[in-house]
Every structure is written in C-alpha cells, then in structure tokens.
Amino acid sequence: MSVAELKERHIAATATVNSLRERLKQRRQLLLDTDVAAYAKSQGRSAISFSTTDLICCRTLQGHTGKVYSLDWTPERNRIVSASQDGRLIVWNALTSQKTHAIKLQCPWVMTCAFAPNGQSVACGGLDSACSIFNLNSQVDRDGNIPVSRILTGHKGYVYSCQYVPDQETRLITSSGDQTCVLWDVTTGQRISVFGGEFPSGHTADVLSVSINSSNSNMFVSGSCDMTARLWDTRIASRAVGTYHGHQGDVNTVKFFPDGQRFGTGSDDSTCRLYDMRTGHQLQVYSQQHEGDDNDVPIVTSIAFSISGRLLFAGYSSGDCYVWDTLMAEVVLNLGTFQNSHEARISCLGLSSDGSALCTGSWDKNLKIWAFGGHRKVI
Amino acid sequence: MNRLLTVVEEAADYSFAVEYNGPPLPYEIPRAVPIDVNRIPLAAVAPPSAVLSDLPVVHPLPSPSTFPFKKRPPLPAPTLILPVPAASPTSVIENHDDMDGPDADVSGALGSSGFPDISTELSEVVESSGAVGFSDDLGYDATSSNEMVPNRLSTDSALSSELSFRSSASGGEDEAVATQAKRALLVTFRESGQSGDSMSPAIGLPLRTRSEELEMPIKRGACYRCLKGSRFTEKESCLACDAKYCSGCVLRVMGSMPEGRKCVSCIGFPILESNRERLGKSSRVLKRLLSSREVQLVMKAEKDCETNQLRPEDVCVNGKKLTLEEMALLKSCSCPPKLKPGLYWYDKVSGYWGKEGHKPDRIITPHLNVGGTLMPNASNGNTGILINGREITKIELQMLKWAGVHCAGSPHFWLNADGTYLEEGQKNIKGQIWGKPIMKLLCPVLSLPFPSKAANPSGEEVNKLFDRAGSECFDVKALQKLLLVGHHGSGTSTIFKQAKFLYRSVPFTEDERQDIKLMIQTSIYNYLLILLEGREWFEEESLNEQRENQQLDSSGDVISDKQKKATEFSISPQLKAFSDCLLKVVASGKLEDIFPNTPLVEELWNDSAIQATYMRLNELQLLPSIASYFLKRVVDISRFEYVPSDIDILYADGVTSSDALAYTEFHFPPLSCAGSSIDDDDQQETLFRYQLIRVHSKGLGENCKWLDMFDEVQIVVFCVAMTDYDEYHEDSNGVVMNKMMESRRLFECIASHPTFEQKDFLLILSKFDLLEQKIDMSPLTSCEWFDDYSPVVSRHPQSKTSRGVPIGATKAQQAFHYIAVKFKRLFFSMTGRKLYVVQANGLNSDSVNAALRYAREITKWEEDRLVGGTVDSMYSIEPSSFSH
C-alpha cells in the first residue's frame, strides 16, 4: 500500500470519526432533558444566601516578588506551598502567615507546585519541562537554598500541572505541553506510565491540568487546550476512559467533585461546567452574562469545591472570585468585590483539606486566606 | 472610707484567674460603684489654661508629701490602706500573666527607687494603678469577667488621687515638687503624644481611651499594640516607624515580614536612617519567636530588600550624586565609610573621607572611582595649604606640624595613601606622614583619622574589588532580559548557542555537554531513520521501474525473481531487523536501550543501499539541511566515547533534549576595536547583565498560553529563517503549510499578545547564506505572502568588480529588504509601532554578535526615550530605503 493511499484512508477515517462524534453530541443533546439547576428549581430548592461578612479575608500572605502562579495545601498541618514568577517556592504556615521555607529554583519560570501527602516534600514544574522535587527536611547548602532532591525529566514540553497521588507518597502525576500526562515514581525518577501522546485517544493539545479522584486514586481527569477533559485510569495507560466535550475554549482547570463521581472544569470560554463521570453527560454550566464586548470575557483560571460540594469557588482573570451555588447555578458571593480583595488576576485557588479555609493566589503577588466569618452551620 | 475598703476586700475574696464556670448565680454579682459620683473629680477639671490643650494627661509620679492631705479630706485614710489590698490583685494577675507581670513589678519598684524620700504608700499607688492597666487589658482580652469591676473602681480612685495631686502641684506650695512635676510633665507629654499618634485608630470605647491615655505616662515603653509591658520588656521595633511591640504582638503586627521587621502598614516605606545599623541583625525577640531558618530568611529579606537600601542618590560625594555602581563599590571596599544620606568629600589619592565643610572623618580605601572631583573648599579650610588640591583645616595643619612637615609659605602637597607626601610639581618624596609612631597617638588627640592597615591595597586589588562589586550588587538589580523566540528551524537555538560561545567563559557545563551529546545521538538516529524510510521509498520506486521495464521487454523468461528484486536500495535482513528495532526505539523514546551500538550503525551506514539513498539526500524533504554534517560522521558520533566539539554543538538541533526553555546570562564585553578610546558609556555597559531566554516554539503551545510569564523582558527577538518561503511543514492533522506563513502566524500571535503591548521587537532574519544559494533556483513569489515581489533587476546582473564583489544589491539582499519591509508593515498595522530588523547568520559569530548588540542598543534607546532624549544611531533600517 502506498503512502498516498494510506493518507487518503487516514483522512477518510478522520472524517468518519468526526461525523460520529457529531452524531454522538447530538444524541447527547437529545437525551439531556434538564440540568441540575432546572431540576433543583423544580424541586423548590433555593440558593444559599450569603451576607458579605460570611466569608472574610483573614490572612494576606505577602512575600512573593512576582506573580503567584500556583498553590497547594498540605493534607494536614495547614501549610501552603506557593510558586511565583520570582523563581521561588514559599512554604507558608497558613495560621501564622509565617514563611517556613523559601526555595530558590533553578529555572524561575515555574507554573505549578504541589505538596506531598506526608507534608515532607514539595514538587514544582514549569518551562524547564521537568518536575523538581524538594525535600523540606534536607540540609540547606551554603547559600541557604534547599537542594533539589530529584528531577523528573522526560516531558517534551512545559509542565503545567502536577499533583501527588493522595494515598501514595511516591507517585506523582504531571501534565505537560507535550500533550501527555505522566505517572511518575518519585523515588526512582522513572515514568511508570504515559497517558496520551502516541496513543490515539490522548489529548491533541497541551494538557493544562490534572485532578486525582480522592475516593479512588486510580482515576484522574485531565483538562487540555483541545477543549476537552479526559478521564484516565492509571492502570490502563493506553486509552482514555472517557472524553468530555462541551467547552468552547481551553480547559484550564479540572477538579473532582468531593464525592468522586463528578468533576468540574473551568475554561477560557469563561464558563465552569460539571460533568458526570459515569454517564459522560454535562450536568450543568456555570456561566455569567458579561456585558460589554465579547473579546474581553474573563477566563476561568482555577476552581475548587467546598467539602460538601454545594459551593464552587472559581477564580477569574478579571480578579473576580465567584462563589457558585452548584445546585442552583447562581453566584452567591463575589470575593472580588470585597474591599481587601486581590488587585489582579486570580491565578490559583485551593481549599484546605478540612474545608475551613480557602486560599487564593494572584498576580498581585499576594496570597489571601478566606474563612467563614459568621456563625454558620456546616452547609 | 469603709465602703471602699469593704469592696476591695471583697475583691480579694474573689478568684481572679479562674473563670467562673459554675451554675448561674442566683444573686447579682456586685458591681456597685461605691464612691459617690459627685465626689470623683473628672478629667474635665483640668484648667483650660493648661499647656496640654487637648490631651488629658496625668503625669505619673505624684509627689508624696503633699498628696494625701491636701485636696481630699474626706478620704485620707483609704489611700493609706488602699494599696495593700490593691496590690494583691496585681500579684494574682502577675501569676497568671507571666510575660508582663514581672515588668509591672519592676516599674513599681522603679517608682520608689527613683524618689528615695517618697513614702512607700505612694509608690504603691503607682503600682496599683499599673495593675489597673493590666486588669483593664485582661478585661478586654479575656472577655468581660465580673471580677474586673473592683479594679475599675481602683482605677477611679487612683485617678482621683493623682488629679488631686496635680492641682496641689500647680498650687506651688512646694517648689521642689513643682519642678519635679514639671519635668515629669514634659516627659509624659512627649510619650503620650507619640503613643496617641499610633494608638488613635485602635481606640474604640471612650472609657478605654481615657484610661489608656491616663496610663500612658506610667507605662512608657509599653508595647504599641497591646499596651502591656514596660521599657524593660524585650521588644522589637519597626524599622520604618519605630513602633515597638512586645514579643506577643510582633508576629501579629509584622505578619510574614517580606521586607524584614516592619509593621504590615509600613511595608514599602524606607527605613529610618537611625535603624540602618540594625539591618540584618536579628534580635533576641525574633530568635525566640521564629526558628533559626526563618530568622535567617527574614534577615536576608531585610538586608536585600530594595526599599531598605540606602538610595544612592541620597549620598553626594564631591558634589556628585552616587550611582548604584559607585554605591556598591563604596560599600564593598575594604575600609568602607559609614554611609548615611548627606554630602561628603573624598580624596581619591590619600583616601581621606569627610563630611562636606568638615575636617576628615576617616580614611577609607583610596583610588575608588567614586563621585566627582575634589573641590579645594571641600573641608572649608582656611589655612591656604592644599593637600591633593583640598585646602586643609587648622587642625590638620596642627597634625602636619606634629608630623614634622615643613609648612611655611602655604605649600601644596600631594599625599599618597601610604603616607608619603611630595610637593606639587616635584618628584622627590619629602617624607612619610604616618611613619612616626607618635602619629598614631596624636591623631586621635586631634580627632583626626589614622589609616588602618587594610586601607592600603594595591591598585590591582582595587580593580578586583571593582569587579566583585559589579557582579554582586547587580544580583539585586533586574537584568536586561531578551526573549528569543522563533518558529522551529528558524535558527533561535543556533543564535542562543552562539551567544553562549561569544560571551561566556565556560559556554557549556559538563552536564549541558552531556545533554547535547545525547541530543546529537538521538537526532543522528532520527536521521538514519529518515534515510531508511527514504530507502524504502526509493526501493519501491525502483522496483516499480523494474516492473515496468520487465513489462516492456516481456521476453517471458522469469529468471531468478530474487535477483531482479534486489535493487541498489535493498538491504540485508539483519539490517532490516535493526532498522525496525530502531524505529520502535525512537518511537518509544528510550534510546538508552540501543546505544552504544556502533558496529551495527557502521554496517548500516556502509551498506551500499544507505549510501545510495544518501546520494539522493536532497530529495528527502524531512531531512534538515544540517543532517549531512552529522551523517558523514555517523560512526564516530554513535560511539559511546563521542565528545561533541564546539562546532558540533553549534550545528546540533536545539539546545536541550527536552525542548525546555533555555536561558543564559552574560555581559557584553567591551568592543575590542574601540581600542584606547573606550568611553565611559561602554565601560558601564560591561557592568550590565543580560539574560537571553530562548523559547522553543513548540513549547509555546497553541495559544501562546504562558507568554504572560515574560512580562519582564525588555525586548522580544523574533527569528525567521529567510529560506522558509518555499519550504513546507506538515502538522499532525496532515495540513501542509508554508513555513514562512507559519512564522508569520506565530509572529502575529506574539506581537499582538497583551503582555508585549509596550515591548520592542527585533526581527532577526537568519540563514542569509542559504538564501543566497536558493534565491536563484526558486523565486520568492513561491510564498503566497510574497506574491507581489517584483525586484528591480539590474540590466547587468552579472556585473562584478574585479574582486568578485557584486555591485549594488544582490538578489538575496533585495529579497532580505523585501521580507523585512513585509514584516515591518505587518507589525505596524498591528501595533502602530516600529519593528527593528537585522540579518544574522547563526553560524557566523560576528553576525550574531552584531545582532545581539543591536538588540542591546534598542533597549538603551528605550531607556533614553524614557528619559526624554533622542538618539541617532548608525543602525536603523528605514522602510523607505526600499521601494517597489
């Protein structure tokens, strides 16, 4: 068979796949008779009401001299690691707002950071196409820097996101601009499996974010510039378990719903969406009407769910941080309107493991910690 | 009297420390205020004529002698008995507030020691009111407990007694007491004024306000936040506003200390000059509160933080404001002066340093290139004697006389750093000033400086110092960042590597070389694969030909089909297996599995089929033009011991094996051709550091997602290979696109990115040499963007001078100008700004050097433009220079 013939066949096959995909989409549309908000309304539910003092900024973590790009909480002990354009990782004590470690990085263009489940080490990745691991207990060198304890190399593009597997200290999943996600063994520095890339069901553009299911750590979901989110099983690297369409822009962030059966996404198209893992349906779109011209819609940079899942925190490039009622799809609070809110794009946010506090990082070089100020029962 | 006494005794019965947790009391907790309100003199009683207009201040130490019996005859006895029970609550509080309690005690003790003749009762009063302060705060902190009520009462009583004292003092009955009181008054006033300043926002309840202000004089030196503690409590003060905080409050007030010990509200403000000494020196309080590493971090931040630095423009040496470099030089020399904002003079020859208009203050390291020229009247001398052109003061003249210098007739001296002096215009050294041992004793007598041993480094050392200062101080300063970006194959990596070779003493570290070696070896296998693929292609082609031939002369005899099938492109089964293996390995990216496998590679390479394919190299579109350079030496390269030469590195494709971003820092060395006339500008230039950041276009992603990380770059250097116009690139979806159009798309994407809205752009058009070879064979119009290219063709295209240099613009140069203008117009239409264009050839170090220096020029113009000047340059390519 000649190359030309092969090419023709390939083109034909691609066309078939696309048409099938289109049909699938239409079929899904037909099956989707309602969304969460409409159903909740029909059940007579109403949105949570928040007064402006219910969520207050109780700490401002100052110390970065560049834009903050990423943050992560420890599972316990209330520490935060943040990564900034000044080329440093800073580990904070969220309660006292003290810095416990400042790590100068080899490559200052860092995009992501993560705390290990045991709280003993942190990982970061960026434009150096590698993921660097730092052990917080290791001896500092002469200049007072913490030496890199391991560098995970193998990606062929920037590392945009990394996360430790919750119940395994030695496993880490990264996502990269080379269209793949990789599961690493941190102790050996070897790749255990590569998701996507040469396999046909992988992402077709840069993978921007990963989120690991906390109830079943074999499953993780990834969001990509190809406007899809994909679900993966770490035991089966060869193909994605599911592909979730719907967004009209790069999927910047994905996050599992606390029950582990759903996940949320945030995108360049200024919407957040909630997908059901098992049915593959899109359950709800969270979007706000934006007045003014269409070119200037703020993009969703980062999302987080409250422990109950009733609230969805979403950070936007406009500096807003909406608190969505996931059930009613209404914005119940906007942290960006507060007097002491961030002055620039909110680039990352995260909820502490006990759900008591929200930390936001911004391009204004600060991190802020928000907590419930009022007396309120658990929602 | 009795009522008060009982209440206080009642108070003693209550437990102060333990919060009441029992069942609700059936009776009301006594909160009665037993003193008749009318009998308590209030603060408003203060006469309007008092100096303190709006601050109701009560001075702290009442005089004992007049106090009890003067104004308050109804309550003479209570004051006598009062202290005893009042002291007991204090002690209880002390026990439960271990940090502040003892200090309160101390202050009480001080009160009595300060005035030896005071009767104990009075000092006790002072103490009791101090205790009131605590109980008051406790009441505020630890929720309102009912036990506090009696203390509130004692506040009032103490207050009343003091007030009564004041009125008596103003009565002027006792002179000594009055002066004493006045002094106290003065002190208190300042203290309370200060505290009032810092406290005012914190004041909430009017009652508290009053009591705070009333206590302030007693509690001088208290923590500014919690108002506890005395001047003996260990405290930490803010570097910027000098507010002092006790250890319990430091962390709350100063937060994460991004700029060292400053209140959160003071962050960003310069520190007080008086605190400069403390910079970077941690205190006991801090050490107790934070771990040693945290203290280190905070101290480092404090020392290095830009806002905490002495601003160079605040220091003026010899009438000239310092620059940053000079400042760094002064700070880092072996005998640095104490730098505070102000005007100084500096004698470069002898090292004398002093305040302008004053005698020399110290002798610092000489020969530092700092400040302007020394003025004769720098130290305001009037003796007529000049040392190094400065008229010296009388006191210096005295020293000279003692040193045995002959000073008759107001001579002019040259004094060197080593102490030798000579008369102006003469050669012979007249003597050694510092030679006499007695001088070491005499100089301090005249309070003149004497050189320390370290003050005399040789010139060489100074130069070394200078270099060190240069490299160290600019760690703090932002570097000039150049972003180098371009489409794949546009020569960005070559330019980057060339820059490393040009400007760095160690261009590549061992690790980097290893990485590049791996990269070259990987790519050589890739080239081999392409060759093998091409071989299959050619084999198929020639087989088809054979078949056609067969059909043509179908004589029928099917002699040995095998033989027929073997064309010149066939290979042996063993090699076939190897090539399959290679294919697999390269696909999986695990090259380590096969290397080093030199024998097989050698066999493969020497195989006639591969050689035959290699002969038809130019038919293989996928193979980059550089491949043949490496393929020729494939056997060498595939060896394990292979060490890439500099040329190999330059030719290699890419900078790192992982397509990661690469960056390098360098200085521009002064131009050697400038020779003797290296101007100051160029000298300074060598101090600037530049960072060249090279980004792989593939790494940029679809939407240039993370270009916003480069908002600090000064200039974007965009590379386009001029040979791209007739080359095509197939992306993963099988869409074939002209590479020039790809470059243009990327250029548009980057130029219109909001991050680079105000940045300068430099376009480097590379691969000029290849363009020259190509332009004759394929016209520029083969790219759709350039379809309106119609060069003015010279009537004598072949005319050359005798030396073979073409007259006028060659075709390639015309093409270069055309492409440059195309991009300039595109850029102008998008941004309305000017695009700078330069041509460079990555393999030619001179052209890369020129291009990067041009980039530096542009950044300098930008700075000058900000200053307001206009600069003409020999560079600048005007679009008008090209017409078509």
Side-chain angles (χ1 to χ4, degrees):
Chain A
M1 203 184 292
S2 76
V3 177
E5 207 174 321
L6 271 177
K7 259 189 187 160
E8 243 165 60
R9 284 195 178 201
H10 179 251
I11 289 166
T14 316
T16 321
V17 167
N18 284 338
S19 71
L20 284 174
R21 201 167 275 160
E22 199 55 40
R23 273 178 58 192
L24 192 68
K25 211 165 133 190
Q26 283 166 3
R27 184 86 186 127
R28 274 194 190 286
Q29 284 294 341
L30 279 178
L31 289 173
L32 209 61
D33 54 345
T34 182
D35 59 10
V36 174
Y39 184 72
K41 204 166 270 172
S42 72
Q43 294 291 307
R45 296 300 202 89
S46 61
I48 293 167
S49 70
F50 265 118
S51 82
T52 48
T53 54
D54 278 352
L55 208 52
I56 53 165
C57 171
C58 50
R59 299 273 187 284
T60 300
L61 307 180
Q62 292 179 315
H64 277 302
T65 57
K67 295 185 264 190
V68 177
Y69 270 82
S70 174
L71 67 88
D72 195 27
W73 289 80
T74 36
E76 66 264 4
R77 299 191 63 193
N78 289 316
R79 284 185 298 161
I80 296 173
V81 62
S82 62
S84 156
Q85 209 186 343
D86 58 11
R88 276 172 206 279
L89 296 182
I90 295 185
V91 180
W92 310 83
N93 183 331
L95 292 177
T96 64
S97 68
Q98 284 301 307
K99 291 175 270 192
T100 59
H101 299 81
I103 303 167
K104 197 167 190 322
L105 301 174
Q106 291 270 308
C107 171
W109 293 275
V110 58
M111 293 165 152
T112 177
C113 60
F115 238 122
N118 60 5
Q120 302 299 313
S121 52
V122 291
C124 72
L127 290 186
D128 56 357
S129 302
C131 184
S132 314
I133 314 284
F134 296 89
N135 188 340
L136 295 180
N137 297 327
S138 54
Q139 202 66 40
V140 291
D141 64 7
R142 267 183 303 129
D143 306 328
N145 295 327
I146 295 180
V148 186
S149 64
R150 188 160 290 286
I151 298 180
L152 310 175
T153 53
H155 273 302
K156 294 278 179 199
Y158 57 91
V159 176
Y160 205 92
S161 159
C162 65
Q163 197 190 348
Y164 277 92
V165 178
D167 48 1
Q168 288 163 303
E169 251 106 72
T170 58
R171 300 288 164 89
L172 178 82
I173 297 180
T174 57
S175 77
S176 158
D178 63 6
Q179 313 182 353
T180 65
C181 298
V182 172
L183 175 67
W184 301 85
D185 187 325
V186 176
T187 42
T188 61
Q190 294 297 311
R191 285 181 282 191
I192 298 171
S193 26
V194 180
F195 306 92
E198 72 218 67
F199 298 113
S201 67
H203 281 294
T204 55
D206 308 6
V207 189
L208 299 179
S209 144
V210 289
S211 173
I212 303 170
N213 193 338
S214 51
S215 49
N216 172 11
S217 62
N218 285 319
M219 307 299 279
F220 75 94
V221 66
S222 61
S224 158
C225 283
D226 62 8
M227 306 195 277
T228 66
R230 278 169 217 250
L231 182 69
W232 303 85
D233 189 326
T234 51
R235 295 160 297 191
I236 316 159
S238 55
R239 61 181 193 88
V241 177
T243 304
Y244 302 86
H245 298 267
H247 277 297
Q248 268 119 45
D250 303 356
V251 179
N252 292 320
T253 171
V254 289
K255 192 71 94 192
F256 258 103
F257 201 74
D259 69 354
Q261 304 291 351
R262 280 151 274 276
F263 64 86
T265 56
S267 158
D268 270 4
D269 62 11
S270 189
T271 66
C272 301
R273 284 162 206 251
L274 189 66
Y275 290 94
D276 190 278
M277 236 168 76
R278 292 162 300 183
T279 62
H281 276 313
Q282 171 186 306
L283 296 180
Q284 182 63 47
V285 183
Y286 302 97
S287 74
Q288 186 90 318
Q289 285 300 319
H290 291 283
E291 58 276 5
D293 53 331
D294 293 334
N295 299 333
D296 223 27
V297 287
I299 66 174
V300 184
T301 56
S302 186
I303 61 167
F305 286 104
S306 69
I307 293 289
S308 66
R310 182 72 193 265
L311 300 179
L312 169 68
F313 303 94
Y316 292 79
S317 59
S318 56
D320 286 332
C321 179
Y322 291 151
V323 182
W324 290 92
D325 184 330
T326 49
L327 212 53
M328 305 304 296
E330 283 174 31
V331 176
V332 289
L333 204 59
N334 180 2
L335 303 183
T337 56
F338 288 8
Q339 201 181 11
N340 49 0
S341 64
H342 286 294
E343 286 150 15
R345 165 193 291 225
I346 290 180
S347 51
C348 51
L349 51 81
L351 209 70
S352 69
S353 56
D354 61 353
S356 62
L358 174 80
C359 184
T360 53
S362 163
W363 282 9
D364 68 5
K365 304 173 186 175
N366 294 334
L367 294 122
K368 285 180 192 288
I369 297 177
W370 308 80
F372 288 105
H375 297 285
R376 176 177 286 276
K377 298 262 169 2
V378 177
I379 321 165
Chain B
M1 158 201 162
N2 287 329
R3 283 185 69 190
L4 181 62
L5 184 63
T6 48
V7 168
V8 174
E9 266 169 2
E10 222 170 53
D13 288 342
Y14 280 100
S15 158
F16 268 74
V18 182
E19 203 180 336
Y20 181 70
N21 283 327
L25 298 171
Y27 51 89
E28 261 201 327
I29 296 159
R31 47 172 82 225
V33 181
I35 298 175
D36 187 353
V37 178
N38 295 329
R39 289 189 357 219
I40 302 169
L42 294 174
V45 174
S49 59
V51 209
L52 317 171
S53 53
D54 53 354
L55 289 164
V57 171
V58 179
H59 40 73
L61 298 164
S63 161
S65 52
T66 49
F67 161 54
F69 309 103
K70 277 297 160 186
K71 266 272 156 124
R72 295 184 59 198
L75 286 170
T79 37
L80 271 173
I81 308 160
L82 168 75
V84 188
S88 77
T90 321
S91 59
V92 171
I93 293 165
E94 272 166 23
N95 288 340
H96 291 276
D97 195 339
D98 49 2
M99 192 175 294
D100 298 302
D103 299 317
D105 219 17
V106 169
S107 81
L110 177 89
S112 61
S113 66
F115 299 84
D117 58 335
I118 294 172
S119 65
T120 40
E121 128 224 13
L122 227 289
S123 69
E124 287 293 347
V125 167
V126 173
E127 195 188 339
S128 82
S129 66
V132 170
F134 285 121
S135 55
D136 204 68
D137 279 320
L138 271 182
Y140 168 65
D141 282 340
T143 67
S144 56
S145 53
N146 295 321
E147 287 87 351
M148 291 308 156
V149 177
N151 280 305
R152 183 68 71 194
L153 164 77
S154 68
T155 312
D156 288 344
S157 70
L159 179 144
S160 57
S161 55
E162 273 160 21
L163 271 175
S164 67
F165 154 70
R166 194 163 87 179
S167 51
S168 73
S170 59
E173 288 187 21
D174 189 334
E175 267 301 307
V177 170
T179 45
Q180 192 74 266
K182 256 183 207 157
R183 206 185 303 156
L185 207 70
L186 252 171
V187 175
T188 21
F189 173 59
R190 203 175 57 198
E191 181 79 13
S192 73
Q194 230 176 48
S195 61
D197 242 344
S198 68
M199 282 313 6
S200 52
I203 290 165
L205 299 163
L207 177 67
R208 247 191 91 223
T209 313
R210 223 185 70 194
S211 70
E212 257 168 21
E213 289 189 358
L214 286 172
E215 272 148 32
M216 202 42 75
I218 303 164
K219 314 225 17 80
R220 62 181 295 187
C223 167
Y224 277 46
R225 185 172 176 276
C226 64
L227 308 173
K228 288 185 216 170
S230 70
R231 72 185 95 168
F232 296 106
T233 327
E234 271 191 301
K235 279 185 291 291
E236 191 56 83
S237 65
C238 167
L239 289 171
C241 70
D242 237 356
K244 296 182 178 60
Y245 302 104
C246 70
S247 53
C249 299
V250 165
L251 290 187
R252 291 189 201 165
V253 173
M254 299 194 180
S256 49
M257 305 193 212
E259 294 183 355
R261 288 165 286 180
K262 285 184 184 176
C263 322
V264 170
S265 53
C266 292
I267 286 172
F269 290 97
I271 62 165
L272 292 179
E273 278 313 314
S274 54
N275 284 334
R276 188 160 299 287
E277 297 279 306
R278 286 174 51 212
L279 268 189
K281 289 177 188 143
S282 73
S283 65
R284 267 213 302 255
V285 176
L286 221 54
K287 275 180 188 156
R288 209 168 55 213
L289 288 171
L290 305 175
S291 73
S292 64
R293 185 176 305 165
E294 280 174 295
V295 172
Q296 263 176 25
L297 285 175
V298 169
M299 286 304 127
K300 191 169 185 318
E302 188 172 291
K303 254 192 314 198
D304 298 346
C305 166
E306 212 174 312
T307 50
N308 290 358
Q309 304 302 320
L310 186 63
R311 276 173 304 170
E313 58 267 27
D314 287 344
V315 179
C316 209
V317 174
N318 294 346
K320 210 172 137 187
K321 284 179 185 169
L322 288 189
T323 62
L324 190 65
E325 297 91 64
E326 289 174 328
M327 187 75 158
L329 191 60
L330 266 185
K331 275 187 184 166
S332 59
C333 69
S334 56
C335 285
K338 272 191 185 155
L339 281 179
K340 280 181 183 169
L343 306 172
Y344 296 95
W345 59 265
Y346 171 51
D347 179 349
K348 282 171 203 171
V349 186
S350 66
Y352 268 132
W353 172 273
K355 277 197 172 174
E356 220 168 85
H358 293 86
K359 63 184 172 62
D361 178 43
R362 54 179 56 230
I363 295 176
I364 66 164
T365 311
H367 311 300
L368 298 177
N369 192 16
V370 163
T373 47
L374 185 62
M375 301 298 284
N377 58 354
S379 54
N380 216 4
N382 52 358
T383 52
I385 297 171
L386 292 167
I387 286 185
N388 299 344
R390 172 181 60 93
E391 195 166 352
I392 62 172
T393 53
K394 272 187 182 153
I395 210 151
E396 284 173 278
L397 180 63
Q398 186 63 45
M399 181 200 71
L400 286 184
K401 278 179 183 162
W402 284 353
V405 179
H406 192 65
C407 297
S410 51
H412 296 181
F413 290 115
W414 281 112
L415 175 66
N416 289 323
D418 54 4
T420 54
Y421 65 96
L422 39 150
E423 223 166 295
E424 218 169 85
Q426 290 181 17
K427 248 178 149 179
N428 47 331
I429 289 167
K430 293 190 79 177
Q432 239 291 14
I433 288 192
W434 312 127
K436 287 188 187 172
I438 187 80
M439 288 306 292
K440 200 167 182 177
L441 296 173
L442 285 175
C443 282
V445 171
L446 297 171
S447 55
L448 281 176
F450 189 80
S452 64
K453 270 181 189 161
N456 287 324
S458 64
E460 229 173 291
E461 273 174 290
V462 173
N463 280 340
K464 237 189 260 165
L465 275 172
F466 194 66
D467 285 352
R468 208 192 61 208
S471 59
E472 270 177 10
C473 82
F474 296 114
D475 279 349
V476 190
K477 208 193 165 195
L479 349 126
Q480 309 272 321
K481 292 183 179 170
L482 319 173
L483 181 68
L484 183 64
V485 62
H487 203 258
H488 183 72
S490 59
T492 49
S493 75
T494 320
I495 288 171
F496 180 81
K497 283 178 281 189
Q498 193 70 259
K500 278 192 122 176
F501 279 120
L502 272 171
Y503 307 122
R504 290 188 67 98
S505 50
V506 184
F508 291 94
T509 63
E510 204 43 52
D511 285 352
E512 286 172 322
R513 278 183 191 269
Q514 278 298 324
D515 196 32
I516 287 169
K517 174 185 160 185
L518 186 75
M519 208 168 69
I520 293 176
Q521 288 181 330
T522 313
S523 57
I524 199 87
Y525 282 109
N526 272 323
Y527 298 152
L528 276 181
L529 264 187
I530 295 171
L531 273 188
L532 285 168
E533 234 168 69
R535 183 203 62 81
E536 266 175 54
W537 191 288
F538 293 143
E539 187 181 32
E540 201 176 298
E541 207 175 71
S542 58
L543 276 178
N544 283 344
E545 268 172 40
Q546 272 187 7
R547 233 172 272 142
E548 276 169 32
N549 289 345
Q550 247 178 18
Q551 278 165 4
L552 278 179
D553 51 73
S554 54
S555 43
D557 46 346
V558 196
I559 19 154
S560 58
D561 209 29
K562 267 184 192 169
Q563 225 176 9
K564 280 266 156 133
K565 261 200 171 163
T567 66
E568 58 170 330
F569 295 107
S570 309
I571 51 169
S572 70
Q574 192 204 352
L575 286 178
K576 180 94 181 140
F578 174 65
S579 69
D580 286 347
C581 161
L582 199 64
L583 194 69
K584 235 182 267 168
V585 164
V586 170
S588 68
K590 287 177 186 160
L591 272 173
E592 312 85 55
D593 294 358
I594 54 161
F595 351 124
N597 207 338
T598 319
L600 265 178
V601 170
E602 195 169 354
E603 202 180 322
L604 185 69
W605 176 245
N606 291 333
D607 194 274
S608 59
I610 294 295
Q611 285 297 326
T613 317
Y614 182 64
M615 298 323 283
R616 297 171 64 176
L617 197 64
N618 49 1
E619 290 174 44
L620 296 172
Q621 267 277 339
L622 278 171
L623 215 54
S625 50
I626 222 73
S628 61
Y629 172 84
F630 289 110
L631 277 175
K632 272 181 215 154
R633 298 162 47 218
V634 64
V635 180
D636 278 341
I637 290 170
S638 64
R639 270 183 230 284
F640 185 71
E641 314 83 60
Y642 164 71
V643 176
S645 70
D646 287 358
I647 302 287
D648 291 350
I649 289 175
L650 214 52
Y651 274 80
D653 190 21
V655 183
T656 57
S657 56
S658 56
D659 290 343
L661 161 146
Y663 63 100
T664 182
E665 278 170 24
F666 57 85
H667 306 282
F668 280 105
L671 284 170
S672 54
C673 63
S676 56
S677 64
I678 298 174
D679 49 329
D680 287 348
D681 217 27
D682 220 36
Q683 193 81 47
Q684 278 201 357
E685 251 328 290
T686 59
L687 290 173
F688 275 97
R689 283 192 312 151
Y690 290 83
Q691 188 177 47
L692 187 66
I693 308 160
R694 184 254 177 180
V695 177
H696 199 277
S697 68
K698 221 165 42 179
L700 273 174
E702 298 281 296
N703 317 343
C704 305
K705 194 99 191 158
W706 39 261
L707 275 183
D708 49 52
M709 295 193 105
F710 296 100
D711 55 352
E712 282 171 348
V713 300
Q714 257 75 23
I715 182 167
V716 182
V717 181
F718 192 88
C719 266
V720 172
M722 282 190 281
T723 52
D724 277 353
Y725 67 93
D726 69 337
E727 286 173 18
Y728 293 87
H729 167 261
E730 189 182 331
D731 69 7
S732 51
N733 296 334
V735 180
V736 176
M737 202 164 171
N738 186 300
K739 276 190 176 176
M740 187 57 90
M741 300 306 286
E742 287 263 281
S743 279
R744 180 186 144 175
R745 194 190 58 80
L746 185 65
F747 180 73
E748 283 172 339
C749 176
I750 291 175
S752 59
H753 199 278
T755 309
F756 299 135
E757 222 161 33
Q758 295 305 321
K759 308 281 185 218
D760 283 311
F761 273 74
L762 171 68
L763 179 71
I764 294 185
L765 292 173
S766 63
K767 302 195 179 170
F768 186 72
D769 49 341
L770 294 176
L771 180 73
E772 275 176 323
Q773 295 170 17
K774 197 186 236 181
I775 191 82
D776 288 326
M777 290 182 292
S778 96
L780 206 58
T781 46
S782 52
C783 172
E784 53 192 293
W785 191 26
F786 300 145
D787 54 3
D788 59 346
Y789 178 61
S790 50
V792 185
V793 182
S794 157
R795 247 178 288 166
H796 309 287
Q798 296 305 317
S799 66
K800 289 181 180 178
T801 61
S802 54
R803 287 160 70 197
V805 180
I807 299 169
T810 62
K811 271 185 171 179
Q813 273 164 339
Q814 282 180 331
F816 161 70
H817 281 283
Y818 174 78
I819 296 173
V821 169
K822 270 289 188 188
F823 270 100
K824 275 165 181 270
R825 292 207 174 128
L826 174 68
F827 187 71
F828 187 81
S829 69
M830 279 192 300
T831 65
R833 283 177 296 131
K834 185 180 164 187
L835 175 73
Y836 302 94
V837 185
V838 71
Q839 88 180 13
N841 178 5
L843 300 175
N844 180 345
S845 64
D846 288 342
S847 73
V848 172
N849 188 12
L852 289 177
R853 280 178 188 276
Y854 184 44
R856 181 191 66 175
E857 286 282 305
I858 295 166
T859 60
K860 279 205 284 185
W861 296 337
E862 186 53 42
E863 274 167 26
D864 290 342
R865 208 183 308 155
L866 290 176
V867 171
T870 51
V871 179
D872 288 315
S873 172
M874 56 176 181
Y875 297 106
S876 103
I877 299 162
E878 291 302 323
S880 54
S881 64
F882 177 79
S883 59
H884 71 104

